[in-house]
Amino acid sequence: MRAPALELPEVRWLGPARLTAGLDRHQRLDLAAHHRVHPPLPGPDQDGLLALAEAVDLRGRGGAGFPFARKARATLATAERVGAPPVVVVNGAEGEPPSAKDKALLARAPHLVLDGACLAAAAFGADEIVIGVAAGGPGEISIPAAVAERERELPCPARTVCLPERFVSGESGALVRGVNGLPVLPTPLKARAAEGGTGGVRRRPTLLSNAETWAQLAIAARLGPDAYAAIGTAEEPGTVLLTLNRPGAGPLVVEAPAGTPLGPLLDACGLEPGAGVLVGGYHGAWLRPEDAAGAPLSRAGLTSLGGTLGAGAIVTLPHGTCPLGEIARVAAWLAAESAGQCGPCRRGLPEAAEALAVLAAGAAGPEAPENARRALGAAQGQGACSHPDGTARFLLTALDVFADDVDAHLSGPGCGRPVPGVLPLPRTGNARLEVNWSRCSGHGLCTVLAPDLVRLGPHGYPTSTTIPVAPWQEHAARRTVSQCPALALRLRRGD
């Protein structure tokens, strides 16, 4: 079966190609090409598969880094206790703009992802495989085509579920809710997928891992623990998939041995550290250029420098760009992408985003950085999901790494550099609440009707003229527009 044309991310590799094997000769590995590139999988064995995952310390590659074997054992224990077979779920809902590694796997090596899921489903007695993909992404075409190609050899039924391409869609609880036909939002109360119930697909015990994790399991099963650990570090064997974001060009997905220094990787991709390097994506952390060059690309190596590997997304910030302007753009987007279900997302992130926007505009008082830090500090550890914590890490490390730029914006109108949008954001029709200050008479009704959107300055007027509006805020925004006595507000959509 021939799949329709796809948007295929560019792929490279440093060292041996494992996950990316064959992609130098094939744009996409259909089932026949997949079998030519990868040897047959060994037969499924529950104890052997668990031992293998433990021997190579296979961990989730979606950002959390949770041990796969521990998650699988918890799922199996629940399945035995409740007397119901588990469900295997592939998380391919990659909603983070600077990350394209899972898109690359789903689009170009879909059968490698399905290999890992099928291996676990057969070994653990699952009664269904569910693959969650982003609506409109390459997985929406590639994965159903791959499932259809191998329908006769599947250990159990498999289906693809398309989810909205939002930042929170890839959170495990949000993904499970979407599969169950509920709003794709993180669960307000923690519920582990392995324990089934409200946290599982069809209330079944659910083994959920991201697309790269399943592909890594398939590679480890073919190689065995010793050969798998021949590259990488002793603590983190094997390879990692990384997304290098290039200004003015599409993302580049690179497979490299774990522990590879960041500097040589950037050189190989024609990039420089610039003013700073973001590692781990928009829930990651910023590194100073002098720290980035020798930073080992592993969980332990980046943690020792105050960074995080996360989902493996890397962005360099060129010297000719205004760092605060770029950071403020992403801060506003992250605040609008939240689920809006808890205090940190409803108040803390918008307050921090607003403080950064004022600072980037060169209109902030000396208290602005501290206001942002206070709002982010209050958000940490208090959210229903990890979104506030990850956003806080991204913004707080930015304030540290770009401290000189903060000072420049506090002491004058700003640094004078442009904001070309180097940090990638999706092209969407997000709503914005716009304030016409020539009409506004300072009634203050807007902040009563939409306290999560509008904040007033010391003179009683809104502090910002353009306010991003998240989907969960649109009702309050429309009501505020309709009831403004001065007709000073409007809700606008567009890029």
Side-chain angles (χ1 to χ4, degrees), residues 444-475:
L445 181 61
C446 52
T447 193
V448 175
L449 295 173
D452 296 322
L453 280 170
V454 184
R455 286 162 184 77
L456 302 182
H459 302 294
Y461 291 87
T463 57
S464 179
T465 58
T466 303
I467 305 164
V469 178
W472 55 271
Q473 296 172 315
E474 286 197 21
H475 174 72

Side-chain angles (χ1 to χ4, degrees), residues 151-402:
E151 187 173 8
R152 293 183 179 181
E153 62 185 66
L154 293 172
C156 60
R159 61 186 170 111
T160 305
V161 176
C162 294
L163 304 163
E165 191 168 9
R166 290 193 59 207
F167 194 82
V168 297
S169 295
E171 195 271 341
S172 59
L175 175 67
V176 169
R177 282 168 59 87
V179 172
N180 287 335
L182 298 172
V184 186
L185 298 171
T187 53
L189 299 176
K190 298 292 185 183
R192 292 184 174 87
E195 296 176 358
T198 58
V201 172
R202 296 185 286 115
R203 301 186 67 84
R204 297 288 186 87
T206 299
L207 179 57
L208 184 153
S209 283
N210 99 305
E212 185 192 342
T213 311
W214 292 114
Q216 292 282 3
L217 181 65
I219 293 295
R222 287 183 166 96
L223 293 176
D226 292 339
Y228 184 86
I231 58 176
T233 70
E235 295 78 16
E236 299 176 43
T239 64
V240 292
L241 272 186
L242 306 160
T243 306
L244 279 295
N245 290 266
R246 301 172 293 180
L252 177 62
V253 176
V254 181
E255 182 179 16
T260 298
L262 179 54
L265 177 69
L266 294 178
D267 289 341
C269 298
L271 295 171
E272 297 180 354
V277 181
L278 175 66
V279 291
Y282 292 161
H283 276 182
W286 287 93
L287 298 179
R288 292 179 174 83
E290 59 270 24
D291 295 328
L297 290 168
S298 64
R299 293 188 305 274
L302 290 175
T303 299
S304 67
L305 295 173
T308 176
L309 182 62
I314 299 171
V315 188
T316 62
L317 198 64
H319 285 292
T321 300
C322 172
L324 294 186
E326 294 283 353
I327 301 301
R329 288 176 57 250
V330 178
W333 182 79
L334 288 169
E337 279 291 296
S338 79
Q341 297 183 133
C342 59
C345 280
R346 295 182 71 91
R347 303 288 294 188
L349 300 189
E351 286 179 6
E354 183 176 327
L356 286 166
V358 174
L359 181 60
E367 72 284 352
E370 188 54 38
N371 288 344
R373 290 180 184 277
R374 183 168 55 251
L376 292 168
Q380 287 181 300
Q382 305 298 318
C385 69
S386 62
H387 187 58
D389 290 347
T391 301
R393 177 168 52 233
F394 169 80
L395 296 176
L396 288 171
T397 55
L399 290 173
D400 290 337
V401 169
F402 303 114

Side-chain angles (χ1 to χ4, degrees), residues 1 20 29 88 133 150 167 175 191 235 240 259 279 308 326 330 408-409 438 447 460 487-489:
M1 179 176 179
T20 55
L29 296 174
V88 166
V133 301
R150 61 195 298 166
F167 194 82
L175 175 67
E235 295 78 16
V240 292
V279 291
T308 176
E326 294 283 353
V330 178
H409 280 254
S438 66
T447 193
L487 302 178
L489 299 171

